Amino acid sequence: QIQLVESGGGSVQAGGSLRLSCVHSRAPFTNACMAWFRQAPGKEREAVAIIEGSDPTWYTDSVKGRFTISKDNVENSLYLQMDSLKPEDTAMYYCAAAWWCGANPQSPSNYNYWGQGTQVIVSS
């Protein structure tokens, strides 16, 4: 069973920081397409940050300059450093992985594996 295990969510005040992590098991995702998505109540799941096997990254406009996606190939982990958090960032955050990014890696349909989600709450 291929699994993605997430941690690092929590509650912070606006302007604070959180570091999310996602550890994958029983599959090599070192050269794969990995991403962080988020979903707020009543809204569709949206891509937040993507990192490809060769390390190019993509961020949704609302988090550029505040979030940083990275990976540790030795620890088989994906990270999302979130700084200067805003109440609008409140959502359930999901780790996702695919064998390759494909034509539109911003689409949830491109990903084969998902984490259980970790809640991020940012208060004013």
Side-chain angles (χ1 to χ4, degrees):
Q1 182 76 32
I2 298 176
Q3 298 183 50
L4 304 176
V5 182
E6 302 172 337
S7 62
S11 299
V12 297
Q13 292 186 340
S17 298
L18 285 173
R19 183 175 175 84
L20 307 183
S21 63
C22 171
V23 179
H24 61 82
S25 61
R26 298 182 179 273
F29 289 107
T30 301
N31 300 119
C33 182
M34 302 194 74
W36 288 98
F37 283 75
R38 67 185 180 187
Q39 186 167 26
K43 300 184 67 177
E44 295 184 354
R45 189 168 298 187
E46 66 170 346
V48 177
I50 301 169
I51 186 166
E52 300 180 21
S54 56
D55 289 343
T57 58
W58 173 92
Y59 299 91
T60 192
D61 288 343
S62 64
V63 308
K64 288 181 178 178
R66 300 188 297 117
F67 291 10
T68 303
I69 187 171
S70 62
K71 60 183 179 181
D72 186 328
N73 292 333
V74 176
E75 299 294 332
N76 300 124
S77 299
L78 179 73
Y79 302 99
L80 185 67
Q81 178 66 44
M82 304 185 294
D83 298 320
S84 301
L85 283 163
K86 303 176 180 180
E88 303 89 89
D89 297 317
T90 296
M92 186 72 74
Y93 283 71
Y94 299 90
C95 175
W99 301 115
W100 59 86
C101 283
N104 185 13
Q106 289 76 39
S107 173
S109 65
N110 286 349
Y111 297 87
N112 309 98
Y113 308 101
W114 294 85
Q116 79 286 354
T118 184
Q119 181 69 249
V120 171
I121 300 175
V122 185
S123 60
S124 300

